Each structure stands twice: as structure tokens, then as C-alpha cells.
Amino acid sequence: MDSIKRNHLRELESEAIYILREVAAQFERPAMLFSGGKDSICMAHLAKKAFWPGKIPFPLMHVDTEHNFKETIEYRDWYVKEELGANLIVRSVQDSINSGRVTEESGPKASRNVLQTVTLLDAVKEFKFDCAMGGARRDEEKARAKERFFSFRDSFGQWDPKNQRPELWNIFNAQHHMGEHFRVFPLSNWTELDVWQYIALEKIPIPNLYFSHEREVFERDGAILYYDPDIITLLPDEKVEKRRVRCRTIGDVTCTGLTLSEAADLDDIIAEIAYTRTTERGGRADDKRSEAAMEDRKKQGYF
């Protein structure tokens, strides 16, 4: 890696660490969302560096759909315990369904991804969190590009892109009334390529799902999806076959599109990302439900 790129990554690192320390200084009860995906892994690693040699001064929380890749959950538990030594809170969408807080979608294309919003907002209320940090980046999706570092949410957990505060000279205003909270995005200015190059620079361990491997998959609406017979119901014209694929983004099995790839190590992934012109969320079925699917969910309280 050349010195220019290394310096660029260190500048992004410094910015993210500054934001993490601002969160610790300005909020009373912050939490960091952690899913076991590359962005949350990178963000958690930065938190470890920001407060070293002390421990991360806030809990990590995962909103679990229980329709995750099994490797993701195994990695999540290992990384939080062995690499971070942090406190992990898990709240389940299934519990929200069982309690009647949400109604599960029906049909072969049903997904629990949208249902995470209620579970997340209930957890914010339960633990009285006044800040929830996420690994979202502005380059991911057009609704993400509207976000500030400190994203204000009203007492209903809702986001109004027109009601956000100026952040001139990286001065952040975290003042809020009881019941309101903020979402904070330390990786806002990073790109997917930045994340991968930083992971390589810092030698951060990542789930094997990000590397090419042979899996049973099927095609649906132009996306390649992993076939889990416990979760997925195939349509009559859908056929399962084995192909070499990898994840560019990790989420709910029902809507996370996989990428045909031979990338077997970090160098291969970096070369692949530098070449591709398709966004990492290009295969996410939940983003294709409408033109403004992500923005609509964010206004309701989604990340």
C-alpha cells in the first residue's frame, strides 16, 4: 500500500476516533450497533483504538432477525468476547413477533429486515439509549448520502432529513429532550474500498462469508440468494445450484444478494472492489421494494 493511501486511511481513522470520543463525551447512555458485518467490525475496531488501554465505554447491541447466516452469529460472539472484551446486548425480532409488536410478513418473498425497526426502537426505549452508533456510509445508498455524522431522531425515533443540525468545522450539537436520541455514523466519509483497505492495513479478522466459497444458491429477481431450507421457500421456477460466491454486505439471508466471485483473500477483494461499478447494496432485495425504500424505512426509525 502506497504512502498516499495509507495517509488517507489514517485521516479517516483520526476523524472516526474523534467522533467516537465526542459520543462518549456528549452522551450519557450511548450504544454501538454491531451486526458482525464489515462496517460494524471496522467501527468496533476503531472504538477499541479510541479508548485503549481502557475498555470500550458503551455496550454493543445486535438487532437479530434470527434469519442470519450462521457464520455471522458465530463470528459476532467470538469477536466481541475475544477481540473486544465488550458487553453485547442482543434483541430479537422473533421476540417482537411473539409479543405482538410486529406482524411477520407472509409469502415466499417475506423478509424480517423491515421488522428490525420496531425491535431497535423498543431497545432504545428499554435501555434509555440517547445515542446509537451505526456503520452506515454515505456511498452505500442515496438516502444514506443525506445523513450528518450526528443524525437527530425525534421522540418517535423518526428521521427528518430537513430537521438536522449544521456540523460546521466538525462541531457537533448533541442537545436533545427526554425521549429523543441521535444516530451517529463515524464511517460516513468512508467508501467500501476504504473499509477493505483499512481492514487489510489493520489486519482485522473478518467472517469467511466475505471470501469466495461454494454454496447452494438460487436466483430471484436478478439477485443470487443463499438457499437455507429452514427459512427460504422456493418458487416453482426457482432451482438450487452450487456456485462460488461471496458476500459484499451481510444481512438477513432472505434479502442479502451474493456476488459471483473468486476472491479468496483481502488482496483479491480489494482488487475486485476497485474494479466493480455495482454498489454493494445492489443485490439487496429490501432496497428494491420501491424507489425510496431505504429513505422510507429511515424515516420510520431504521438505520
Side-chain angles (χ1 to χ4, degrees):
M1 184 180 299
D2 62 53
S3 61
I4 294 176
K5 186 59 187 179
R6 189 185 298 267
N7 290 341
H8 170 67
L9 294 175
R10 291 307 181 198
E11 288 175 4
L12 290 173
E13 176 189 67
S14 178
E15 178 184 67
I17 286 176
Y18 169 73
I19 292 166
L20 289 165
R21 288 173 176 167
E22 281 292 297
V23 166
Q26 294 199 46
F27 293 99
E28 293 184 7
R29 298 179 67 87
M32 177 175 284
L33 274 290
F34 185 82
S35 65
K38 66 182 185 309
D39 300 310
S40 62
I41 293 167
C42 186
M43 184 173 59
H45 177 82
L46 288 161
K48 182 179 178 180
K49 294 191 76 169
F51 302 104
W52 183 265
K55 289 193 172 183
I56 297 175
F58 38 75
L60 276 62
M61 184 172 74
H62 183 208
V63 178
D64 187 357
T65 66
E66 296 192 27
H67 283 178
N68 296 288
F69 293 93
K70 294 178 177 63
E71 296 96 325
T72 304
I73 302 304
E74 292 170 358
Y75 174 90
R76 178 200 71 186
D77 294 341
W78 171 82
Y79 188 75
V80 171
K81 180 180 178 180
E82 301 297 334
E83 293 292 313
L84 301 177
N87 177 30
L88 176 66
I89 297 168
V90 179
R91 286 297 177 266
S92 170
V93 171
Q94 184 62 55
D95 290 339
S96 298
I97 294 170
N98 294 343
S99 66
R101 291 284 294 141
V102 295
T103 301
E104 186 157 25
E105 295 180 355
S106 59
K109 296 186 179 182
S111 172
R112 290 185 173 183
N113 210 46
V114 177
L115 307 185
Q116 292 178 89
T117 299
V118 172
T119 308
L120 171 59
L121 293 177
D122 285 350
V124 168
K125 182 178 180 180
E126 175 187 355
F127 293 100
K128 297 182 173 60
F129 291 136
D130 54 2
C131 169
M133 290 168 277
R137 310 183 322 271
R138 293 190 181 115
D139 75 321
E140 285 183 81
E141 202 271 345
K142 56 190 177 184
R144 303 282 202 205
K146 297 180 181 181
E147 286 283 16
R148 306 288 173 88
F149 283 109
F150 279 39
S151 178
F152 173 75
R153 303 299 172 103
D154 65 21
S155 57
F156 296 101
Q158 295 176 330
W159 173 66
D160 179 0
K162 297 180 181 179
N163 185 27
Q164 300 299 318
R165 297 166 185 182
E167 294 180 342
L168 303 175
W169 306 290
N170 279 352
I171 297 176
F172 303 111
N173 179 1
Q175 295 297 311
H176 60 281
H177 297 295
M178 184 175 295
E180 299 171 342
H181 72 282
F182 278 77
R183 308 288 171 83
V184 173
F185 304 101
L187 305 184
S188 285
N189 285 338
W190 297 52
T191 66
E192 183 185 8
L193 184 59
D194 291 330
V195 169
W196 281 116
Q197 290 180 324
Y198 186 74
I199 287 172
L201 178 64
E202 292 286 295
K203 298 180 173 58
I204 305 172
I206 59 172
N208 287 330
L209 285 166
Y210 284 115
F211 301 116
S212 178
H213 47 284
E214 191 173 80
R215 279 189 177 274
E216 288 190 333
V217 300
F218 66 100
E219 290 193 31
R220 175 177 291 175
D221 297 332
I224 300 173
L225 300 176
Y226 168 58
Y227 178 60
D228 184 332
D230 296 327
I231 299 171
I232 300 290
T233 300
L234 294 175
L235 297 172
D237 61 338
E238 292 173 341
K239 181 178 67 174
V240 176
E241 57 184 334
K242 287 189 176 182
R243 306 182 78 173
R244 291 198 64 80
V245 294
R246 74 175 191 87
C247 291
R248 283 180 67 186
T249 177
I250 293 179
D252 192 298
V253 169
T254 61
C255 61
T256 300
L258 304 176
T259 300
L260 295 174
S261 173
E262 296 293 332
D265 57 32
L266 285 175
D267 288 339
D268 289 345
I269 291 175
I270 290 169
E272 184 178 274
I273 297 304
Y275 175 78
T276 188
R277 293 296 176 266
T278 304
T279 67
E280 66 201 276
R281 295 188 69 94
R284 288 289 292 263
D286 51 329
D287 289 353
K288 298 179 179 180
R289 293 190 171 195
S290 73
E291 280 294 315
M294 173 65 79
E295 183 155 340
D296 291 342
R297 280 179 289 151
K298 284 174 65 64
K299 288 178 178 179
Q300 295 166 4
Y302 186 76
F303 250 85

